[in-house]
């Protein structure tokens, strides 16, 4: 009967053009459907004679007992004992079985409601719950052992059952074992990952134990249900011939759209042909074809290797044998009707019933089902290995012929199978799109409905379609439907899953050649399809989401991992190249559109669109990198391609905007492009370049970032340099110079260094790519820092000088009415000028603390900038220095030391001068001015000043006498030329200048100590200058402190006080009051100490007679005003100075005391004669008493300055004066010659190299220099003796000779050192220095 009249037009349109005759397809599919029913028919009940029913039932029971008695269990498991492959059940089965047994025992399972069955199950449940049993089952997990355990329990229970007469218990044992096997099969259905062979075994066991002749509605025999209990009458079963009882036939009818009456006629027509015997003959023919090498079902030529062929043949023969054994077990009569063969392959004991072609998939309903013989619930089957059949077909079987002589297998099984799958897919798709299916209903991704899956699997099994072809064919069909957009993409992974599972179970090398090539072709097609999908998905870059392309990537990765697409590498490489090009094209298009959009926005800031573009590029790259960390399909790095396309475009845009950016950033005080935006653009560009380098390491991008932005950094450095003056002024203006912490400094120094630290951090944050350029930036910035430090030092010194030397109109020194002031006045002789003591202010102390704190803060800047590293970078990595026409610069350090023998301007020989020194250049510009030294004809300034020159410079040195009103009078002047050629040895030179005055002639002389070093554009040089500024400011301010205290100390420790003390004998003051006033900051008591240092006396000194009228108290009483002065002023210094500054001031005061004491005893060293007379013995004793009292005052019993510091070399020199003071003149001369000769022999060269700026570049180098200086050998006593000799008559010539000798030796050593220096020739040649200009005319 034809079916075409039942096909719809829509159905015809969807059918592939590559098709076979659908009538033939219908014919063979229907045959398989009929055979499926014939093997396990549906029974129908009809009323029969009760006695006849009982007789047949009795015969059936005992017939079953004979053929399937308990004894046959051993035969069923015989092959297992003989060593066949063991299959373990899942561990979770025990838990499921426990719950099932519990439900049966409690009567909760309706399928097992029979009391006898429940009793047996309950007994087995008790054993099952025992620990030994469960432990044994967990160890071996053998399904056969589990069945045997149940059989043992069932036998022991049923054998004692009184209702089972004779051998009836045996029949019941078999029935209950069959029910137990069925229950195990049902339990396994609820589990996943169950071995198909395990399901096949249980199906075979159930078939042997429960023949279908007595099946109930569930398809299984239940002896318990059919057992005669009492007088009940049962009906005799008969086989139904209605197609309504034939499930597969009904599926075929609906598939081919054939009415039931027409289908019934077709079934009746085919009934005689579609028999079990014909099915067995088809199976035997397949076996015979395999052995004979026939094309179907397979031969050696179909496989690539012997191993693959043997594997397939072993598996196929095993499955065919199992199918025949299963059919014989279901219908034993079938064996009798078949011709007998030698070693029958289908005998029950002839071969092990191995695994059937079965696999498991998810049915659309959600339940996981397992196929068995003729499974209806799975489509793809896993190829299970079976035992090779040991029995060959008998050659004498004349009914079985080699060739394609089959009843159920079509002429071309694979084409028929392919057409059937296609037909079912099209039918199910039509149903899915029909109005009967709601949009909210879930549909299976496999498209196929469960009935069609069962039908396809049944046909595949009967047509002997390999599992490899089944999976490949289905994938190919889904691929074609996807290409036509008939199915969604989600169906592809579902179809691939079956192939993947099959590849895991069976290596591709063991597949038939045709199937593997077909799969590779399908994989290649799918790879191209999804590469194309990926190609079009790139249109949404850079906002591409993972969810859009992840399905494509998953499928592509799965296809690539299979290795089957490698044969299409050439085509795939072309597609990947197209994909790469597409990604770059889309990236370029996105960049251009985005840049046009940003540039179209209004505004004059030309850097803003570029800044916004960098944000967009970096944001997109980071987003893509986060979304796609790995290359697409293992070869296409999405982020790298996008960055490689877009970053060069941005760099090109930046270069094109170079001129406009620079002009816009320089057009006035408020430029269109702020410098901050330029540096933001630098940072963003730097980040983009780093990103480009990271993502495209092989990319070539020619762009010098540092060179592009360097002009902006130079401009910023200039602006920063211009702002430093404002920073200094602002910091000082806002400062009240009040101590803010324990260190004693105020806010201005902290504010200033915060401002200086900011540009350093800014440069460091730029992370400049070129180390040399960055080092040059820091060098320029260090010059700015040095400039700011110099300006701060000068500003603070000006304020400090204003406080220390207040003008009468601006500031009146507050004086307190105190006892020490009155005593100071009374001590002065009538007619002598009295010294007014000076009180220090806390603000002055804070300023000194600021300078001292600045050194620490500057050292922190030194470390923050990593100055040494910057200097090394410039020295080692700098480009070669080009030839320059610029003159080199030199830095002269001019120290104004002292002046001698100044002549007073008036006629009075006792007049004194208040002098200061100025240095002026040729144009009359004042370069240097010292502080004023009051009331001295031999002033000492000890001030150093730096003068930078690029050519010889004439200086006029003038000493002026300070006037309170009007112009300052010139005491004398002289000229000196700072010629780099003369000071090219870089040594320190002492230069004495004779002072001249147009009105008075010779006016004495002045000592200048001059050194020179090359001024360099070097970061260490600039920091050294800054430290030198701070050191000099600190020294100058410290000197002012001492200068303010020195006059009063000199007045208190003077020869007039000595003479007054000796003449008066006593001051007439109250003793207790004087003693009470002798208090000090570091002094708590007076008196000698046993541990104090004693002043030694020479052995040849005649004994001195101490004046009895002057006690120690009286001697000390003479200087009590000095102690009170120290109490008042040192308390202020102690309160407001930092610890470091306080120690330095105390030591300077102590040094000044030692100098004054020394000046009381001996005159200064000079070749001129001195009018100073030696002190008497009484006066010398009083002077050294004063020295002792002052030492004890500063020591303060250990709470003040340490004795080690107080009794320093200068102290020892002063003490040594007493040793030589009374020696005879000749003895002193001899000792002087001896001491000078020894000093000249031991002394190192007196001339030392200049104190370079580089030696003061940080606190570390400063400390190192102090350490070296401390270790230098002290000067001998020769000078002290010569100073004593100046007070002796007729010694002037001797002293001049000794000084001349010292000068000659020193000059010789200098020449020798200069010669050695010249021979070394290590110093680079100095640039040509211009000739010395003529001496300028004297200016008034």
């Amino acid at each position: 009967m034809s079916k075409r009249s039942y096909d719809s037009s829509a159905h015809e349109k969807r059918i592939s053009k590559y098709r076979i005759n659908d009538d033939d397809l219908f014919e063979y599919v229907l045959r398989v459907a009929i055979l499926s029913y014939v093997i396990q028919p549906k029974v129908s009940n009809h009323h029969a004679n009760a006695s006849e029913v009982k007789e047949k039932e009795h015969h059936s029971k005992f017939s079953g007992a004979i053929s399937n008695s308990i004894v046959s269990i051993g035969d069923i498991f015989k092959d297992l004992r003989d060593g066949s492959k063991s299959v373990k059940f899942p561990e979770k089965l025990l838990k499921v079985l426990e719950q099932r047994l519990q439900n049966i025992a409690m009567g909760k399972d309706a399928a097992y409601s029979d009391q006898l069955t429940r009793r047996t199950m309950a007994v087995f449940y008790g054993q099952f719950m025992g620990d030994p049993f469960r432990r044994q089952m967990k160890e071996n997990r053998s399904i056969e052992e589990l069945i045997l355990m149940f059989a043992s329990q069932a036998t022991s229970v049923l054998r004692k059952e009184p209702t089972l007469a004779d051998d009836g218990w045996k029949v019941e044992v078999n029935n209950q074992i069959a029910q137990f096997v069925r229950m195990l099969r049902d339990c396994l259905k609820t589990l996943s990952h169950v071995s198909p062979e395990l399901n096949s075994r249980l199906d075979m066991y159930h078939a042997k134990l429960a023949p279908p002749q007595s099946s109930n509605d569930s398809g299984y025999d239940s002896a318990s249900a059919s057992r005669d209990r009492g007088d009940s009458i049962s009906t005799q079963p008969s086989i139904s011939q209605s197609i309504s009882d034939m499930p597969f036939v009904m599926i075929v009818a609906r598939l081919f759209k054939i009415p039931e009456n027409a289908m019934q006629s077709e079934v009746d027509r085919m009934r005689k042909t579609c028999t079990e015997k014909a099915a067995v003959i088809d199976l035997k023919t397949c076996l015979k074809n395999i052995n004979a090498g026939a094309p179907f079902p397979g031969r050696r030529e179909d496989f690539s290797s012997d191993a693959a062929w043997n594997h397939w043949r072993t598996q196929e023969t095993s499955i065919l044998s199992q199918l025949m054994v299963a059919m014989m077990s279901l219908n034993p009569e079938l064996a009798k009707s078949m011709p007998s063969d030698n070693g029958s392959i289908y005998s029950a004991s002839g071969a092990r019933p191995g695994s059937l072609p079965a696999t498991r998939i998810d049915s659309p309903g959600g339940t996981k089902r397992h196929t068995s013989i003729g499974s209806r619930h799975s489509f793809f089957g896993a190829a299970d290995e079976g035992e090779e059949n040991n029995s060959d077909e008998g050659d004498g079987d004349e009914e079985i012929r080699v060739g394609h002589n089959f009843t159920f297998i079509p002429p071309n099984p694979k084409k028929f199978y392919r057409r059937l799958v296609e037909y079912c897919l099209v039918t199910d798709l039509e149903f899915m799109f029909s109005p009967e299916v709601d949009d909210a209903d879930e549909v299976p991704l496999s498209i196929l409905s469960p009935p069609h899956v069962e039908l396809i699997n049944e046909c595949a099994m009967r047509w002997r379609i390999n599992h490899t072809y089944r999976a490949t064919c289905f994938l190919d069909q889904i691929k074609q439907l996807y290409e036509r957009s008939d199915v969604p993409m989600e169906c592809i992974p579902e179809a691939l899953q079956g192939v993947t599972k099959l590849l895991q179970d069976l290596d591709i090398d063991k597949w038939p050649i045709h199937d593997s090539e077909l799969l590779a072709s399908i994989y290649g097609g799918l790879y191209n399809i999804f590469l194309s999908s990926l190609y079009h998905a790139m249109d949404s870059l850079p906002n591409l989401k993972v969810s859009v392309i992840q399905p494509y990537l998953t499928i592509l990765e799965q296809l690539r991992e299979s290795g089957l697409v490698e044969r299409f590498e050439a085509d795939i490489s072309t597609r990947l190249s197209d994909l790469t090009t597409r990604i770059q094209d889309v990236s370029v298009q996105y960049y251009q559109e985005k840049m046009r959009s940003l540039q179209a926005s209004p505004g004059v800031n030309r850097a803003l669109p570029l800044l916004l573009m960098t944000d967009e590029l970096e944001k997109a790259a980071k987003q893509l990198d986060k979304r796609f960390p790995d290359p697409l399909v293992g070869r296409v790095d999405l982020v790298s391609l996008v960055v490689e396309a877009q970053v060069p475009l941005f760099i090109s845009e930046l270069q094109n905007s170079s001129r406009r950016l620079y002009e816009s950033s320089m057009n006035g005080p408020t430029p269109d492009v702020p410098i901050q935006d330029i540096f933001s653009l630098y940072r963003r560009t730097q980040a983009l370049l780093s990103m480009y380098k990271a993502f495209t390491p092989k990319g070539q991008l020619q762009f010098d970032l540092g060179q592009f932005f360097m002009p902006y950094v130079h401009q910023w450095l200039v602006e920063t340099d211009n702002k430093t003056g404002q920073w200094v002024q602002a910091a000082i203006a806002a400062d009240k110079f009040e101590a803010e912490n324990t260190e004693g400094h105020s806010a201005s120094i902290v504010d200033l260094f915060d401002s200086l630290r900011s540009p350093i951090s800014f440069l460091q944050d730029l992370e400049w790519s070129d180390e040399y350029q960055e080092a040059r930036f820091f060098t320029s910035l260090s010059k700015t820092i040095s400039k700011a430090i110099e300006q701060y030092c000068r500003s603070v010194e000006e304020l400090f000088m204003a406080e220390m030397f207040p003008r009468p109109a601006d500031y009146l020194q507050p004086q307190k009415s105190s006892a020490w002031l009155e005593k100071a006045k009374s001590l002065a002789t009538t007619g002598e000028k009295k010294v007014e003591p000076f009180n220090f202010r806390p603000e002055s102390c804070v300023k000194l603390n600021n300078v001292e704190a600045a050194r620490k803060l500057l050292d922190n800047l030194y470390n923050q900038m990593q100055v040494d590293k910057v200097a090394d970078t410039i020295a080692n990595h700098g480009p070669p220095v080009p030839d320059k026409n610029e003159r080199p610069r030199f830095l002269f350090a001019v120290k104004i030391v002292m002046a001698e023998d100044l002549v007073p301007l008036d006629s009075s020989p006792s007049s004194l001068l208040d002098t200061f020194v100025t240095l002026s250049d040729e144009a009359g510009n004042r370069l240097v001015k010292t502080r004023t030294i009051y009331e001295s004809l031999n002033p000492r300034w000890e001030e150093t000043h730096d003068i930078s020159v690029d050519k010889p410079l004439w200086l006029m040195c003038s000493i002026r006498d300070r006037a309170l009103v009007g112009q300052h009078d010139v005491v004398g002047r002289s000229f000196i030329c700072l010629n780099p050629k003369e000071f090219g040895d870089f040594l320190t030179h002492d230069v004495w200048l004779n002072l001249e005055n147009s009105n008075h002639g010779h006016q004495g002389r002045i000592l200048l100590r001059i050194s020179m070093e090359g001024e360099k554009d070097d970061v260490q040089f600039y920091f050294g200058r800054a430290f030198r500024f701070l050191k000099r400011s600190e020294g100058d301010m410290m000197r002012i402190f001492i200068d303010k205290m020195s006059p009063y100390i000199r007045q208190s420790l003077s020869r007039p006080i000595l003479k007054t003390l000796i003449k008066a004998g006593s001051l007439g003051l109250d003793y207790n009051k004087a003693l009470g006033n002798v208090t000090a900051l570091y002094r708590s008591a007076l008196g000698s100490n046993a541990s104090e240092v004693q002043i030694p006396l020479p052995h040849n000194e005649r004994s001195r007679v101490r004046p009895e009228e002057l006690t120690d108290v009286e001697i000390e009483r003479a200087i009590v005003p000095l102690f009170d002065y120290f109490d008042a002023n040192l308390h202020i210094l102690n309160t407001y100075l930092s610890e470091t500054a306080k120690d330095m001031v105390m030591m300077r005061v102590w040094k000044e005391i030692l100098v004054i004491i020394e000046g009381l005893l001996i005159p200064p060293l000079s070749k001129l004669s001195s009018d100073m007379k030696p002190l008497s013995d009484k006066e010398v004793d009083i002077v050294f008493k004063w020295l002792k009292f002052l030492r004890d005052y500063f020591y303060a019993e250990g709470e003040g300055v340490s004795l080690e510091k107080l009794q320093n070399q200068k102290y020892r020199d002063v003490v040594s004066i007493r040793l030589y003071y009374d020696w005879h003149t000749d003895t002193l001369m001899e000792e002087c010659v001896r001491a000078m000769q020894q000093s000249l022999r031991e002394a190192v060269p007196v001339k030392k190299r200049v104190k370079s700026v580089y030696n003061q570049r940080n606190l570390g180098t400063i400390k190192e220099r102090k350490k070296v200086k401390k270790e230098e050998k002290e000067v001998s006593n020769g000078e002290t003796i010569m100073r004593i000799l100046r007070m002796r008559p007729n010694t002037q010539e001797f002293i001049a000779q000794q000084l001349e000798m010292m000068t000659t030796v020193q000059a010789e050593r200098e020449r020798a050192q200069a010669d050695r220096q010249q021979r070394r020739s290590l110093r680079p040649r100095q640039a040509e220095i211009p000739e010395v200009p003529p001496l300028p005319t004297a200016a008034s």
Side-chain angles (χ1 to χ4, degrees), residues 518-716:
L518 176 61
L519 180 62
S521 175
I522 296 171
Y523 270 30
L526 286 174
Y527 205 87
N528 281 332
I529 290 172
F530 287 103
L531 275 182
S532 178
S533 301
L534 203 60
Y535 177 92
H536 294 291
M538 294 301 112
D539 292 343
S540 58
L541 281 173
N543 300 315
L544 182 64
K545 295 183 179 179
V546 180
S547 58
V548 175
I549 65 171
Q550 188 58 51
Y552 307 147
L553 296 177
T554 302
I555 295 173
L556 289 169
E557 181 66 19
Q558 186 176 355
L559 296 174
R560 187 177 64 86
E561 288 179 351
S562 68
L564 296 175
V565 297
E566 293 178 357
R567 65 185 69 181
F568 307 103
E569 180 61 30
D571 185 41
I572 291 175
S573 297
T574 302
R575 288 297 184 94
L576 290 177
S577 178
D578 294 341
L579 177 62
T580 300
T581 304
R582 181 61 179 172
I583 292 173
Q584 293 181 327
D585 290 345
V586 172
S587 301
V588 170
Q589 182 181 358
Y590 171 81
Y591 174 87
Q592 293 173 344
E593 293 177 355
K594 190 67 177 179
M595 181 56 76
R596 282 195 296 268
S597 173
L598 293 174
Q599 291 177 341
S601 302
V604 295
N605 191 340
R606 297 181 181 274
L608 190 58
L610 295 171
L611 280 171
L612 296 176
M613 193 69 227
T614 58
D615 291 339
E616 289 291 334
L617 296 181
E618 187 173 1
K619 177 183 176 183
K622 289 182 177 180
Q623 179 176 276
L624 288 175
D625 186 46
K626 182 178 180 181
R627 292 178 177 177
F628 307 100
D630 300 319
L632 305 182
V633 298
R635 296 165 65 176
V636 179
D637 194 338
L638 185 60
V639 190
S640 297
L641 292 172
V642 173
V643 170
E644 186 178 13
Q646 293 181 343
V647 172
L649 292 176
F650 173 80
I651 296 301
S652 177
E653 184 71 29
L654 182 64
Q655 290 174 321
N656 294 335
S657 305
S658 174
R659 182 177 179 181
R660 296 191 301 271
L661 278 176
Y662 189 78
E663 292 174 353
S664 299
S665 64
M666 303 296 173
N667 57 354
T670 56
D672 294 338
V673 180
I675 194 68
Q676 293 81 4
D677 287 353
I678 293 294
F679 288 119
S680 297
L681 183 60
Y682 166 81
R683 294 188 184 93
R684 306 304 299 162
T685 306
Q686 186 182 46
L688 285 183
L689 292 176
S690 300
M691 187 173 65
Y692 181 86
K693 184 177 180 181
F695 287 119
T696 58
K698 297 182 181 180
Q700 299 295 329
L701 186 58
Q702 300 299 329
F703 178 68
D704 191 339
L705 179 67
Q707 195 67 30
F708 184 88
F709 285 96
M710 188 167 58
Y712 301 101
V713 180
H714 286 155
Q715 179 63 26
W716 173 81

Side-chain angles (χ1 to χ4, degrees), residues 818-825 837 839 1048 1120-1121 1124-1125 1128-1129:
S818 56
W820 62 266
L821 182 57
E822 297 299 329
K823 292 174 185 175
K825 293 180 179 180
N839 287 336
Y1048 193 78
V1120 163
D1124 291 342
Y1125 176 73
N1129 285 278

Side-chain angles (χ1 to χ4, degrees), residues 819-820 823 1076-1079 1119-1129:
W820 62 266
K823 292 174 185 175
N1077 287 334
V1078 184
T1079 58
I1119 59 173
V1120 163
L1122 178 61
F1123 287 131
D1124 291 342
Y1125 176 73
F1126 282 159
D1127 284 343
N1129 285 278

Side-chain angles (χ1 to χ4, degrees), residues 349-374:
S349 61
R352 179 183 67 83
S355 61
L356 299 179
T359 188
R360 178 181 61 82
I361 66 170
D362 294 342
S363 66
T367 59
K368 296 180 179 180
R369 303 179 180 181
H370 300 261
T371 62
S372 59
I373 304 172

